[in-house]
Amino acid sequence: MTAGKSMNYSQHNLSDTIVALATPPGVGAIGVIRLSGGDAIRIVQKVFGGKDLTKQASHTLHLGTIINDEGIILDEVLISVFKAPHSYTGENIAEVSCHGSPYILRQMLELFIKKGARLAQAGEFTLRAFLNGKMDLSQAEAVADLIASTSQSSHQVAMRQMRGGFSHEIKKLREELINFASLIELELDFAEEDVEFANRDDLKKLVDKIQGLIRALINSFRLGNVIKNGVPTVIAGRPNAGKSTLLNALLNEERAIVSHIAGTTRDTIEEVLNINGVEFRLIDTAGIREAQDQIEAIGVEKTMEKVRQAALLVYVFDVGEMKIDEILTDVGKLQREDMQLLVVCNKMDTNPYFKPEWLMNPNDPSIPEYFFTEGKRPSHPSSLIPHPSIITLSALHGMNIPYLKEKLYDLVISEQVNLESPIVTNARHFEALQKASESLDDVLRGLAEGVTSDFVAMDIRRALAFLGEILGEVSTEDLLGNIFSRFCIGK
């Protein structure tokens, strides 16, 4: 059920009857083969030992056998019949449920192809559903997201989008804009008579309103991307800081090797942690220090590469070993502006005298000199750490681990999120919304400067085109090929 590398749907006649395995390949209790097209039901009837499927009502099930050309029964099956236009694709569909033997499935596929079907391309069933008006393009893309969903949040968002929640918002925006666009286009037909059909103040109010809705959708993309793809979260720090112990504590299992020997972790270890329906892709890295050998040097370089890619950095240090100036220097080197940061003061059970607030004000005269390298305070700290980013814990004893999970979740979702509201999860939709917003900015600028109606109309048409791209009302063969090539063969 892997997606194809590319898809050129024009190379095949979309009126063909297509067939594909709709369940994962391999041994299973049940396998399902799906056929769609004008001849789908007739093709299955040619090899079906049972009722005449062509005479049966839509949305019915029929028990019988599949018999090959030699008269051998391949399997006892259950046939689901769906007649156009009341089906997933809008065409006739027959689904054959049989035993999940790879041999049986292969024999049946070959038999249906021999009887007139052709093997479906990746995403071709959903492509036909889109082309036949059963769903718009954003709903079709949500089908792929639903199949790939691995958490409650990603499932919930994909299900809402597949059912048209996001599409409905975009359609409303377009309809309101189209009404005004048609009035401005009408003005162009009466340009010589200097007639104004579209009230400019009302148009400005409408564009301001639409801009507010579009920007809210654009701002939801960061959260939507997190829900869909998970949060790349790097656990970094110096050797023996307790990074692997922390990973094990978060996962509640012995995933990483833990040792008192510095430099145990030479390569990155990746695991997924689900917190309240949001997935964090935890990456345990090699300790940051001057490498002792070539293998460790590669591990340190990989650490820095993962840090550069991270959306969230969990910097871990040993409160009994690290000096304040060393901590601030490390954080200054690792942190980026677009990265969320948590600083974990680990092994608090070994040094109860360490105070996390010292990281916010390293020049506090009350801090003992031995908490600095050679007793020297940093005159200009390379990084000051705000209080909300600092957590004290003992990974070995599980102290404060639940609180750390709460902080991870809060950093990603800073306010209560209503997953029933439209959320943008698709980078293509995000880009189209940004371009639509820029076009509407041009509309507002034109209205403020008093430009002629033809320029205003041009900017509105541009905004409508970008919104139309999301729904598939404005699309190209290359765009459709790129989208549907990522689907499963049987979907």
Side-chain angles (χ1 to χ4, degrees), residues 477-490:
E477 182 178 315
D478 286 343
L479 172 66
L480 297 181
N482 180 265
I483 289 171
F484 288 100
S485 67
R486 302 174 187 176
F487 278 62
C488 301
I489 294 292

Side-chain angles (χ1 to χ4, degrees), residues 25-41:
V27 178
I30 294 174
V32 177
I33 295 173
R34 172 184 286 170
L35 297 91
S36 180
D39 291 331
I41 299 171

Side-chain angles (χ1 to χ4, degrees), residues 134-143 161-164 167:
K134 303 299 290 186
M135 61 180 70
D136 62 47
L137 195 55
S138 69
Q139 287 175 296
E141 290 170 292
V143 172
Q161 293 189 358
M162 190 183 74
R163 295 172 70 89
S167 303

Side-chain angles (χ1 to χ4, degrees), residues 201-460:
D201 289 336
D202 289 344
L203 176 58
K204 182 181 182 304
K205 288 178 184 176
L206 174 64
V207 173
D208 280 334
K209 172 189 167 187
I210 293 174
Q211 276 287 56
L213 295 171
I214 287 178
R215 285 181 182 132
L217 290 172
I218 289 172
N219 291 337
S220 75
F221 178 68
R222 187 181 73 85
L223 172 62
N225 195 45
V226 161
I227 290 173
K228 179 179 176 179
N229 300 314
V231 189
T233 304
V234 168
I235 302 174
R238 298 201 181 186
N240 255 3
K243 300 183 297 297
S244 297
T245 304
L246 180 61
L247 175 69
N248 290 341
L250 286 168
L251 297 173
N252 200 27
E253 64 173 279
E254 297 300 312
R255 173 62 182 86
I257 297 172
V258 176
S259 168
H260 67 280
I261 301 171
T264 303
T265 302
R266 296 294 187 97
D267 201 352
T268 58
I269 298 173
E270 301 192 20
E271 283 292 334
V272 174
L273 173 67
N274 189 308
I275 305 176
N276 298 332
V278 175
E279 289 194 340
F280 292 80
R281 291 188 281 114
L282 300 179
I283 305 164
D284 180 23
T285 59
I288 302 168
R289 69 171 180 180
E290 287 293 326
Q292 305 299 307
D293 53 55
Q294 187 176 0
I295 295 175
E296 188 178 5
I298 295 171
V300 173
E301 177 54 36
K302 279 192 175 184
T303 295
M304 300 309 297
E305 181 183 344
K306 293 295 183 181
V307 169
R308 288 190 289 269
Q309 298 169 356
L312 201 160
L313 171 66
V314 178
Y315 173 77
V316 186
F317 70 92
D318 181 345
V319 295
E321 295 292 332
M322 289 285 285
K323 305 297 185 182
I324 291 175
D325 53 298
E326 294 174 330
I327 297 164
L328 296 176
T329 298
D330 282 358
V331 172
K333 289 178 181 178
L334 297 174
Q335 193 176 12
R336 300 190 323 266
E337 284 187 9
D338 59 343
M339 172 195 288
Q340 299 276 18
L341 171 70
L342 278 180
V343 174
V344 173
C345 312
N346 191 26
K347 307 186 184 180
M348 285 296 294
D349 53 312
T350 65
N351 187 4
Y353 303 106
F354 181 87
K355 296 182 180 180
E357 56 266 28
W358 292 341
L359 298 176
M360 296 182 288
N361 184 16
N363 291 316
D364 182 347
S366 67
I367 304 175
E369 295 297 326
Y370 56 77
F371 280 102
F372 297 93
T373 304
E374 298 179 353
K376 297 178 181 178
R377 300 170 186 270
S379 55
H380 298 287
S382 57
S383 176
L384 294 178
I385 303 167
H387 180 265
S389 299
I390 304 171
I391 293 178
T392 58
L393 56 76
S394 169
L396 180 63
H397 299 291
M399 184 188 89
N400 254 3
I401 295 299
Y403 179 63
L404 173 58
K405 290 182 180 181
E406 287 179 20
K407 291 291 291 184
L408 288 169
Y409 182 81
D410 289 343
L411 274 180
V412 174
I413 302 178
S414 56
E415 57 187 23
Q416 187 174 3
V417 177
N418 180 9
L419 295 182
E420 294 301 314
S421 300
I423 296 175
V424 179
T425 62
N426 187 299
R428 187 182 73 82
H429 301 169
F430 174 70
E431 184 179 351
L433 286 168
Q434 283 187 313
K435 290 180 179 177
S437 181
E438 290 168 5
S439 300
L440 292 177
D441 281 340
D442 291 338
V443 172
L444 291 174
R445 193 176 301 111
L447 292 174
E449 296 172 359
V451 301
T452 57
S453 297
D454 53 342
F455 284 105
V456 174
M458 182 176 65
D459 290 330
I460 291 177

